[in-house]
Amino acid sequence: MSNEVRVRYAPSPTGHLHIGNARTALFNYLFARNKNGKFIIRIEDTDKKRNIEGGEESQLKYLKWLGIDWDESIDIGGEYGPYRQSERTEVYQKYTEELLEKGLAYKCYCTEEELEQEREQQSAQGQTPQYSGRCRHLTEEQRAELEKEGRQPSIRFAVQSDRVYTFNDMVKGELSFEANGIGDFVIVKKDGTPTYNYAVAVDDHLMKMTHILRGDDHISNTPKQLMIYEAFGWEAPVFGHMTLIVNESRKKLSKRDESIIQFIEQYADLGYLPEALFNFITLLGWSPGGEEELFSKEEFIKVFDAERLSKSPALFDTQKLRWMNNQYIKQLEADRLVALALPHLIKAGKVEENIDEEKKQWVHDLIVLHQEKMSYGAEIVELTDLFFKQDIEYNEEAKEVLAEEQVPEVLKAFAEELKSLNDFSADAIKAATKAVQKGTGHKGKKLFMPIRVATTGQTHGPDLPQAIHLLGKEAVLARLERVIG
C-alpha cells in the first residue's frame, strides 16, 4: 500500500448532494488535507436505472460550493482514471475472467423467480435467506444446456463459508463477520454490469486507496469487499465507518423526513453560507475537543484527527445550524450580505430587479439594518415585511403598550418633531426623540416603546432611528396619526 494517504468520495449520480454524503466527502477531504494526501472523487454510475440527468454535475457543483476541492476526478483527470465507473467496463471484465479461471467465481443461471422461491422457502423454515449455491458446481454440459434455453448468467463470487473476516475499524474498533452468513453474492449482473461491492473493491485497489471513510450503513459491505481483496491477493485499505446522523427524535435521518432540510442545494437556495455549512457538518460526528465550535476550513484541516470521530450517533440540531449561520452572517462584509439577501427580496416581489441608485442604497441599508438578526438570506423577507406595507396590524402585546396613559402625549410630541424635520436622517430622528424626552419628561421604555410600536408594530427590533429613517417620513407620520386618532 502507498505511504501517501489516498481517500475518496464516490457518489452515485442518483440525486442531489445530501447532508450525509456531504459529511462523508468532508471527512475524507479533511483527512487527506491534514495528512498532506490526495482526495479523489469517483463517480459510481453503474446503476443506470437510478441515475438522474444532472446528478453528476449537481454533486460536483455543491461540493465546490461547500469549499471542497479535489486532486483527481472526472473533471481534472489523474493517473488512475477513468474516474467514472461506466467507463471502466474492460477493467472489471479482465478481473472477472481471472476469478472465473481460478474457480473463485462461477456463472449462475438462476432466474429471478427461482431465486425468489428459494428465499421464500428459507424464510418459511426460519432461515436467513441467502443463495444456496445451486449453480456453483454445474458441469460444462449443464451450463451449455441452460444457455441453450436462452438463459443469461450472472457471475457469483464463491464464498468460503468457513472463514471469519476481521478488520480493525477506525471508528468502531475490531469487527468480525462470519462468511457463512453471507452466501455467494453476485459480482456481475446478467447484463454484464459489475455490482457495487465488486466494482468498489477493484477500483479502490487500482486507485491505491489507503483509507475508506464512509457511513455506518456500509459496514455489511465490508466483508464482501475484503473477500475480493483476498481473492486477488491484494492488501486491504483501512476502513472507518462513521455513525449515523439522527434527527431531534433520535431517529435515523431519512430522506423522507420533512422536518429537516437535507440537501445542500436547498441550503444554498435559502441563503445559508457555505462556510457555516462546512463548519456545522464537520461537527456532525466529529469533535475537535474543547468548547469552541466555530472554525475556518484551514483550522479544521490543521486539527482534524480521525481518532476523534464519534462512536455515538450525530444529532442534527436545526436550531444550532441557524445559530451558527447567524454567527457567520454577522461577520459578513456589507456587499456580500446584500448579495446573499437581495435575491430573496426580488423573488418575493418586494424589490424590482432593476432599481435606481437611490433605491439601491435604501435596500442596502435595509439589509444591513437586519444583519444581526438574520439566520439565513431568505429570512430577510420576513424580517423586513413592515417596510413594504402601508398599514400594520398591532398584536395584543403591541396594543397593551399603546394603551399606556403617556402614549398620546409622547406620540403627538414625536409627530410634531418629525414634521419639522427637513433632514429625515437617523441622527436627526435620534435628536427628535431626545427633544420629546426633554419636552414630556418621559424616558426609557415609556418613551421608546410607544414610538417603536406605533411606527413598526414591533416591541423588539433593529436600531429604531435607522428603521424610522428607512420607513420614510410620509409612512411614519401616517402610522403615528392612525394611532393618535
Side-chain angles (χ1 to χ4, degrees):
M1 192 183 288
S2 166
N3 289 325
E4 178 185 60
V5 165
R6 287 178 60 82
V7 295
R8 48 75 169 175
Y9 167 60
S12 299
T14 56
H16 301 294
L17 182 59
H18 184 261
I19 285 281
N21 293 336
R23 183 184 69 161
T24 298
L26 265 177
F27 284 175
N28 277 283
Y29 169 75
L30 290 170
F31 184 71
R33 294 291 175 259
N34 175 267
K35 303 288 185 186
N36 293 315
K38 294 287 195 298
F39 174 56
I40 293 93
I41 292 182
R42 183 175 70 226
I43 303 296
E44 299 186 344
D45 61 344
T46 53
D47 192 346
K48 296 182 179 67
K49 289 177 188 170
R50 293 183 61 228
N51 295 345
I52 66 164
E53 191 177 345
E56 193 177 278
E57 293 82 358
S58 178
Q59 288 275 338
L60 298 184
K61 175 181 176 180
Y62 287 98
L63 287 172
K64 283 177 184 169
W65 180 83
L66 272 174
I68 296 175
D69 58 277
W70 44 90
D71 302 291
E72 301 167 27
S73 189
I74 57 170
D75 55 340
I76 54 176
E79 60 181 303
Y80 300 100
Y83 293 91
R84 196 181 276 112
Q85 282 189 335
S86 59
E87 297 170 4
R88 297 175 63 81
T89 307
E90 290 180 13
V91 174
Y92 308 127
Q93 284 173 345
K94 172 192 163 188
Y95 287 99
T96 303
E97 288 302 323
E98 186 179 330
L99 291 176
L100 288 169
E101 284 170 19
K102 289 179 177 177
L104 298 174
Y106 61 90
K107 293 179 179 179
C108 171
Y109 296 88
C110 296
T111 64
E112 259 316 308
E113 292 74 26
E114 288 168 341
L115 293 171
E116 182 58 35
Q117 189 179 23
E118 186 174 273
R119 287 191 289 266
E120 285 175 3
Q121 286 173 350
Q122 289 170 334
S123 294
Q125 291 165 10
Q127 300 170 354
T128 302
Q130 67 178 43
Y131 183 60
S132 63
R134 63 206 264 184
C135 288
R136 190 167 181 170
H137 303 294
L138 292 176
T139 63
E140 284 296 328
E141 289 78 16
Q142 288 171 318
R143 280 198 286 271
E145 196 62 40
L146 289 165
E147 285 178 14
K148 205 181 286 181
E149 289 177 24
R151 295 199 185 201
Q152 280 291 110
S154 60
I155 295 171
R156 288 183 182 271
F157 185 81
V159 174
Q160 298 178 49
S161 58
D162 58 343
R163 290 291 312 281
V164 174
Y165 287 86
T166 301
F167 64 97
N168 194 30
D169 191 280
M170 291 167 72
V171 181
K172 300 176 181 299
E174 190 173 284
L175 297 173
S176 292
F177 292 84
E178 293 185 2
N180 64 9
I182 293 172
D184 296 350
F185 56 95
V186 174
I187 58 172
V188 180
K189 298 176 191 174
K190 293 181 190 294
D191 65 359
T193 305
T195 58
Y196 171 78
N197 283 308
Y198 180 49
V200 161
V202 171
D203 288 344
D204 284 343
H205 170 72
L206 295 179
M207 294 182 181
K208 300 194 184 304
M209 297 304 157
T210 58
H211 299 75
I212 306 297
L213 267 175
R214 57 190 180 188
D216 212 312
D217 50 338
H218 281 284
I219 285 182
S220 60
N221 291 323
T222 309
K224 293 179 181 179
Q225 291 167 22
L226 288 172
M227 290 176 193
I228 302 295
Y229 273 85
E230 184 181 72
F232 289 113
W234 298 336
E235 183 183 352
V238 178
F239 290 93
H241 292 89
M242 300 169 282
T243 53
L244 299 171
I245 301 173
V246 295
N247 63 19
E248 283 158 21
S249 303
R250 304 283 167 177
K251 291 181 180 173
K252 178 186 173 185
L253 206 60
S254 156
K255 289 176 183 176
R256 292 183 295 277
D257 181 356
E258 294 182 4
S259 67
I260 291 174
I261 298 167
Q262 299 198 30
F263 295 95
I264 301 301
E265 182 176 354
Q266 292 172 294
Y267 285 104
D269 289 345
L270 281 169
Y272 278 79
L273 292 168
E275 52 268 46
L277 259 293
F278 191 108
N279 193 153
F280 177 77
I281 295 170
T282 303
L283 297 179
L284 286 175
W286 180 83
S287 165
E291 298 298 313
E292 183 58 49
E293 293 188 293
L294 300 175
F295 294 86
S296 67
K297 178 168 75 171
E298 291 69 29
E299 287 168 335
F300 272 129
I301 288 170
K302 190 175 180 182
V303 301
F304 190 82
D305 180 355
E307 289 187 14
R308 297 197 65 85
L309 286 166
S310 174
K311 292 176 172 59
S312 306
L315 174 65
F316 191 102
D317 186 339
T318 304
Q319 288 305 113
K320 184 174 178 180
L321 173 56
R322 286 172 62 110
W323 168 81
M324 190 171 282
N325 203 61
N326 171 254
Q327 300 304 303
Y328 278 88
I329 282 178
K330 284 177 181 177
Q331 303 303 317
L332 282 188
E333 293 177 0
D335 287 349
R336 190 173 171 207
L337 177 72
V338 172
L340 184 76
L342 178 56
H344 299 284
L345 290 173
I346 293 170
K347 185 179 177 183
K350 304 291 186 182
V351 177
E352 299 81 30
E353 208 151 343
N354 298 306
I355 50 178
D356 60 29
E357 287 305 312
E358 186 180 350
K359 185 69 178 284
K360 202 176 281 183
Q361 186 61 50
W362 181 84
V363 173
H364 175 282
D365 294 346
L366 181 68
I367 292 170
V368 170
L369 178 66
H370 292 86
Q371 182 164 8
E372 290 289 311
K373 289 285 183 186
M374 211 187 306
S375 296
Y376 54 94
E379 203 173 31
I380 194 66
V381 177
E382 183 186 339
L383 289 171
T384 60
D385 186 50
L386 70 96
F387 292 86
F388 295 98
K389 56 187 182 184
Q390 290 295 110
D391 298 319
I392 46 177
E393 295 297 320
Y394 299 102
N395 62 23
E396 289 307 311
E397 189 182 5
K399 286 175 182 175
E400 282 178 27
V401 170
L402 296 177
E404 292 173 10
E405 61 178 345
Q406 86 287 3
V407 169
E409 181 186 8
V410 167
L411 296 186
K412 280 175 187 172
F414 188 58
E416 288 306 313
E417 288 291 337
L418 294 189
K419 283 175 188 173
S420 65
L421 292 181
N422 292 320
D423 170 22
F424 204 69
S425 66
D427 286 342
I429 292 162
K430 197 171 184 180
T433 310
K434 282 186 178 174
V436 173
Q437 178 183 329
K438 192 174 179 181
T440 63
H442 298 297
K443 58 185 178 180
K445 284 182 74 174
K446 294 285 184 185
L447 171 70
F448 295 107
M449 193 63 86
I451 293 174
R452 181 178 289 283
V453 170
T455 56
T456 70
Q458 300 175 336
T459 52
H460 305 282
D463 179 73
L464 186 56
Q466 180 68 355
I468 291 172
H469 157 67
L470 291 170
L471 280 165
K473 188 172 182 177
E474 190 180 327
V476 170
L477 287 173
R479 289 178 184 183
L480 289 170
E481 292 298 333
R482 180 186 165 199
V483 176
I484 294 165

